[in-house]
Amino acid sequence: MKQYSMIAKAVCIGLLASSSSVVLADDAKLDMERIEVVGKHHRDVGATGLPLAIGDTPQSISVIDREFMDFHDINSIGDALTHSAGVYSETSLDSRERFVFARGFEMNRFLIDGMGTAARPLQATLLDTSIFETVEVIRGSTGMLQEVGQPSGTVNLVQKRAYNGTGGYVTAEYGSWDKMRTEADFNTTLTDSGSVRARAVVALEDTDSFVDRYNADRKTFYTTLSADITDALQVSVFASYQDDGQSAKSDGLPLQFANGDPIQIGIEANIYPDWGTQDSTQENLTGELRYEVNDDWSVVAKLHHSNLDEQKVYAGLDWHPAPTGDYALFTYETDSDFETDRAELGVNGQFDLFGQTHTVNFTLADTNFEELGHTFRPLSRVTGNLAAEHRSESPEPKPAKPDYNYAQPQVRSAEIGSQSARVALNLQLLDNFNMLLGANRKDIDSYSSNNGTVTDETFSDTSLYYGGVYKINEQTVVYASYTDIFDQPQQYNKEGALLDPLRGENKEIGFRYSNTDNTLSLDLAYFNITQENYGVVAGKHSDGNVYYIGQSGIESEGYEVEVSGYVTDQWFASLSFSDTDVTNPNELAGRVSRVVPDKIASFSTFYEFDNLRVGGYINYAGEREGFIGLGPYEYVPVDSHVLAGFSAYYEFNESLSAKFNIHNLFDKEYDAKIAFISVRPGDPRNFSAQVTYTF
């Protein structure tokens, strides 16, 4: 499965992108795939920009690999993150996009091969998994990697790369609610020597839903080309394009009548009209140059361009329906465009001093982000009646689409330019002790115009990183790290001005253990996060846009546990648990911690027979709260829930295989999200069956 990236500019250090330098062919058998699962603690990923293995990095990192996503039929990044250690992935009211949280806060930074994408967090969760080799989750502040260092963490998506060989696969899938999906991945060498390699992926999907009339379709295209110009010089290009369309877009079910009485309506009901639609396209294009100066030093340059274009006709309840069933729709039409250009130039090297080998990275980066959005309001009020539209005989049609005020759009634009210079140093002070030191200097120019309110400010900040890793023995490691937090989110106050930057500190200590065969590992981490000027939703304007207020004294602390590996030669299992406590001393607590469960856990496993693999997963989300109203909010409890899944894979021969998956195995009924004046029921039990031909 893949996505077709198409736009990007950036010249870089190779930071996390270096983690994708090794890619297994897709026709690797079960024994080969095992290397990817257990080898996560030896991949060159990191939180500092240095090409360090996870075991040498003093910060929590989890990897969702290609094998896991294939086995459990995971087709979007948002769904993949529901299985990541320490991450809570919550569906939006419309069911397709997801909010992602870690350590009590939303994760709003998504990278592709270490480069920032223009997609908003919700849209980034729609990205198709077909084009990615792994999904890397770095928990905690990542201010060393980019111009901002949010406290929750960063998601880095590692794209598939062309390899030396010819092969690929084609899949056909059918599932619940008439889900139809086909996917093809083809790799080839364009020269006899294999010095020029190409790979292409196509994924097409069309599906309905348990919600009446709702339909979603997706078209994903991806291609990459790598050429070894000389033994020391390699040039690569990555391009992707993804289009997501949604029609009869549902915004959940009405939570209650205006008098507080419950509304008795089936979870399949769609009270919204067919003209509520959303279409988005995401394009990413990256050019990469790698030059090996010698065995110790290398230069990596990247140019990256990313674009998100979204057209939406929104239709949601204006308020709780009257006891008679009368309701009014809040509706608008938007056309939004988000663009990011980035250039990175990085130098990685190692040197010997005092009998030890040390690693250093220097990086310069220039990034520009632009946003332009037009919102059109209706010229007339849209009303309807639930009783008339949902009675069993001769129901009335939904309200007709109104005319919109195209002559007087509400315009919001923003442009953020940033330049950064980073240095990161890994000092191997002893054979069993390494210290990491880093600094990332950032200069940011921020301009926004929000319905006539202009904000034009300049910020400067230097994020510092300190960390140490001590190896007690070959199997046991302890570590500690400190990281600055600096973020400039696109959040506006009641007057329409951009909020001042968020600042804070992230501290973490951890313990790692792996057995002598490196087939089983244990990770423990304790973290403490403090933040100042944290943006909290304070209310909603009459036009539907929310506004924020900055709050200080926000603190998050907790711990995470992850155990994974092979219990026997045939039995693999992974278990994670996290407990987070977020406190806010301010009177306006907002949605800082209340919508995120304190406790989350996940378990996955499989057992291998000769040609058969059988397994499943269990995910737990603890108690949390939903919010009602348009601000200030009323909070209501949301029960905990446990979801299970089943997966089976059978290999007929070297070319033909089949897979069967069930999600929500026990058909658990639960509230996935309660927000504003709606509730989103969780997906009932659903299945998919897939046939794959490998060549």
Side-chain angles (χ1 to χ4, degrees):
M1 304 176 181
K2 292 183 184 181
Q3 155 191 56
Y4 184 87
S5 301
M6 249 187 101
I7 315 183
K9 277 184 187 175
V11 193
C12 143
I13 71 172
L15 115 88
L16 295 175
S18 61
S19 64
S20 59
S21 56
V22 178
V23 176
L24 295 177
D26 286 306
D27 59 355
K29 300 305 172 189
L30 297 182
D31 289 341
M32 289 292 291
E33 291 173 336
R34 180 181 304 178
I35 297 174
E36 185 69 19
V37 176
V38 190
K40 70 172 189 173
H41 285 270
H42 304 279
R43 293 175 62 84
D44 290 335
V45 297
T48 61
L50 293 165
L52 298 175
I54 291 179
D56 296 324
T57 302
Q59 204 160 328
S60 297
I61 301 173
S62 296
V63 176
I64 306 167
D65 59 31
R66 180 73 262 157
E67 176 192 18
F68 185 94
M69 292 184 286
D70 284 343
F71 183 54
H72 294 293
D73 191 36
I74 296 172
N75 302 141
S76 72
I77 296 302
D79 290 341
L81 291 171
T82 63
H83 302 278
S84 177
V87 172
Y88 174 60
S89 179
E90 174 190 63
T91 185
S92 63
L93 289 174
D94 68 11
S95 81
R96 196 159 169 86
E97 302 164 330
R98 284 185 173 271
F99 298 92
V100 182
F101 302 88
R103 300 186 173 181
F105 305 105
E106 187 176 1
M107 301 183 76
N108 54 27
R109 291 290 180 267
F110 286 77
L111 311 178
I112 296 179
D113 285 343
M115 310 297 286
T117 171
R120 298 176 296 111
L122 280 176
Q123 294 300 117
T125 63
L126 287 177
L127 287 169
D128 202 89
T129 57
S130 61
I131 72 170
F132 300 111
E133 197 65 39
T134 58
V135 177
E136 302 167 349
V137 180
I138 308 165
R139 298 189 295 281
S141 178
T142 53
M144 283 295 294
L145 299 183
Q146 49 194 334
E147 282 58 57
V148 295
Q150 62 176 40
S152 55
T154 295
V155 178
N156 182 52
L157 311 174
V158 180
Q159 295 179 112
K160 291 180 177 178
R161 292 193 170 225
Y163 56 90
N164 190 359
T166 298
Y169 65 85
V170 178
T171 68
E173 179 180 344
Y174 181 80
S176 297
W177 312 309
D178 288 330
K179 176 185 177 181
M180 291 181 287
R181 179 181 172 94
T182 184
E183 183 181 321
D185 183 339
F186 176 68
N187 186 93
T188 188
T189 53
L190 302 179
T191 59
D192 292 339
S193 64
S195 60
V196 182
R197 305 166 296 280
R199 192 170 183 175
V201 178
V202 176
L204 304 175
E205 181 179 320
D206 186 272
T207 182
D208 294 331
S209 167
F210 71 92
V211 178
D212 290 341
R213 297 180 291 108
Y214 175 86
N215 176 266
D217 65 86
R218 174 177 297 169
K219 305 175 187 67
T220 304
F221 306 95
Y222 170 80
T223 188
T224 179
L225 176 71
S226 293
D228 300 328
I229 308 302
T230 67
D231 290 341
L233 179 63
Q234 183 186 91
V235 177
S236 301
V237 177
F238 309 87
S240 70
Y241 172 88
Q242 179 169 318
D243 180 274
D244 283 282
Q246 300 176 72
S247 59
K249 191 174 169 70
S250 170
D251 205 39
L253 296 175
L255 188 62
Q256 60 190 26
F257 287 114
N259 62 2
D261 290 344
I263 295 179
Q264 302 298 328
I265 192 169
I267 66 170
E268 75 284 351
N270 185 352
I271 70 170
Y272 300 98
D274 292 348
W275 46 264
T277 62
Q278 179 174 328
D279 187 85
S280 63
T281 58
Q282 301 185 57
E283 301 174 329
N284 290 279
L285 176 66
T286 304
E288 176 187 279
L289 182 148
R290 293 175 177 268
Y291 179 67
E292 304 291 332
V293 180
N294 52 40
D295 291 340
D296 296 328
W297 292 88
S298 63
V299 177
V300 180
K302 285 189 178 182
L303 292 175
H304 177 78
H305 177 77
S306 180
N307 184 80
L308 166 66
D309 184 57
E310 180 182 66
Q311 294 86 37
K312 178 167 64 175
V313 180
Y314 175 77
L317 287 175
D318 192 42
W319 192 242
H320 300 297
T324 60
D326 290 336
Y327 68 86
L329 287 181
F330 175 75
T331 179
Y332 58 84
E333 185 173 331
T334 63
D335 186 349
S336 302
D337 186 73
F338 304 84
E339 254 186 55
T340 295
D341 291 284
R342 182 175 175 89
E344 276 191 7
L345 177 64
V347 178
N348 292 296
Q350 60 183 28
F351 59 92
D352 295 330
L353 185 65
F354 302 122
Q356 298 285 354
T357 301
H358 315 279
T359 309
V360 66
N361 165 261
F362 302 97
T363 300
L364 297 175
D366 190 346
T367 303
N368 189 71
F369 169 81
E370 294 184 16
E371 172 189 353
L372 179 61
H374 294 81
T375 301
F376 309 96
R377 301 298 170 186
L379 294 172
S380 59
R381 186 170 172 82
V382 181
T383 61
N385 183 276
L386 291 178
E389 294 166 2
H390 291 274
R391 60 189 178 191
S392 58
E393 296 180 3
S394 304
E396 293 181 2
K398 302 293 180 186
K401 183 179 180 180
D403 294 323
Y404 293 90
N405 188 0
Y406 297 111
Q408 294 179 308
Q410 295 179 342
V411 181
R412 185 164 94 176
S413 64
E415 183 173 356
I416 299 177
S418 62
Q419 296 78 41
S420 66
R422 178 181 71 209
V423 58
L425 179 64
N426 178 44
L427 297 174
Q428 193 69 45
L429 300 180
L430 300 171
D431 289 342
N432 61 344
F433 177 63
N434 64 293
M435 177 177 288
L436 288 91
L437 304 173
N440 191 8
R441 172 67 182 183
K442 302 158 250 188
D443 295 305
I444 301 175
D445 296 316
S446 178
Y447 173 87
S448 69
S449 176
N450 186 15
N451 293 331
T453 300
V454 174
T455 303
D456 191 356
E457 299 185 32
T458 299
F459 309 100
S460 295
D461 180 77
T462 300
S463 292
L464 301 178
Y465 190 102
Y466 312 101
V469 179
Y470 179 74
K471 295 183 179 179
I472 299 174
N473 53 45
E474 289 300 318
Q475 282 73 50
T476 309
V477 168
V478 292
Y479 69 84
S481 64
Y482 165 92
T483 319
D484 284 335
I485 297 170
F486 177 83
D487 196 0
Q488 177 56 75
Q490 292 298 102
Q491 296 173 339
Y492 301 87
N493 62 21
K494 190 173 184 179
E495 290 71 38
L498 194 68
L499 289 188
D500 289 337
L502 177 153
R503 300 178 188 271
E505 297 177 343
N506 180 87
K507 303 168 187 174
E508 181 175 333
I509 58 175
F511 169 88
R512 295 188 177 113
Y513 171 81
S514 60
N515 63 1
T516 54
D517 297 329
N518 287 321
T519 56
L520 188 66
S521 64
L522 165 67
D523 292 77
L524 301 173
Y526 166 81
F527 57 87
N528 180 270
I529 301 167
T530 57
Q531 295 183 83
E532 307 296 320
N533 203 48
Y534 181 87
V536 173
V537 175
K540 202 170 190 178
H541 294 290
S542 59
D543 62 5
N545 288 319
V546 299
Y547 57 87
Y548 295 79
I549 186 173
Q551 297 190 335
S552 297
I554 314 299
E555 183 176 6
S556 170
E557 65 175 341
Y559 65 91
E560 300 162 340
V561 183
E562 183 178 10
V563 184
S564 64
Y566 277 86
V567 183
T568 68
D569 288 344
Q570 290 80 36
W571 179 24
F572 174 84
S574 177
L575 174 66
S576 69
F577 176 81
S578 69
D579 190 346
T580 303
D581 181 29
V582 181
T583 57
N584 182 356
N586 302 277
E587 180 180 351
L588 180 61
R591 291 179 275 164
V592 176
S593 61
R594 308 183 74 157
V595 302
V596 184
D598 292 341
K599 297 175 177 61
I600 54 176
S602 63
F603 172 75
S604 65
T605 187
F606 64 76
Y607 192 89
E608 296 175 358
F609 299 92
D610 289 340
N611 294 321
L612 174 67
R613 173 183 290 179
V614 178
Y617 64 83
I618 300 173
N619 291 332
Y620 167 80
E623 295 178 352
R624 58 201 188 282
E625 292 181 287
F627 58 96
I628 302 175
L630 304 178
Y633 300 111
E634 174 189 351
Y635 289 88
V636 295
V638 180
D639 293 336
S640 62
H641 64 262
V642 177
L643 298 178
F646 170 80
S647 301
Y649 168 86
Y650 185 77
E651 199 172 78
F652 296 99
N653 52 50
E654 291 185 354
S655 299
L656 187 64
S657 62
K659 184 160 59 72
F660 180 73
N661 300 92
I662 304 176
H663 299 289
N664 195 356
L665 178 63
F666 302 110
D667 204 19
K668 169 70 175 178
E669 295 183 5
Y670 66 101
D671 293 332
K673 185 176 182 63
I674 296 177
F676 303 116
I677 50 181
S678 301
V679 56
R680 155 68 184 168
D683 288 5
R685 179 168 50 223
N686 59 94
F687 77 92
S688 65
Q690 183 184 99
V691 176
T692 301
Y693 178 75
T694 304
F695 53 89

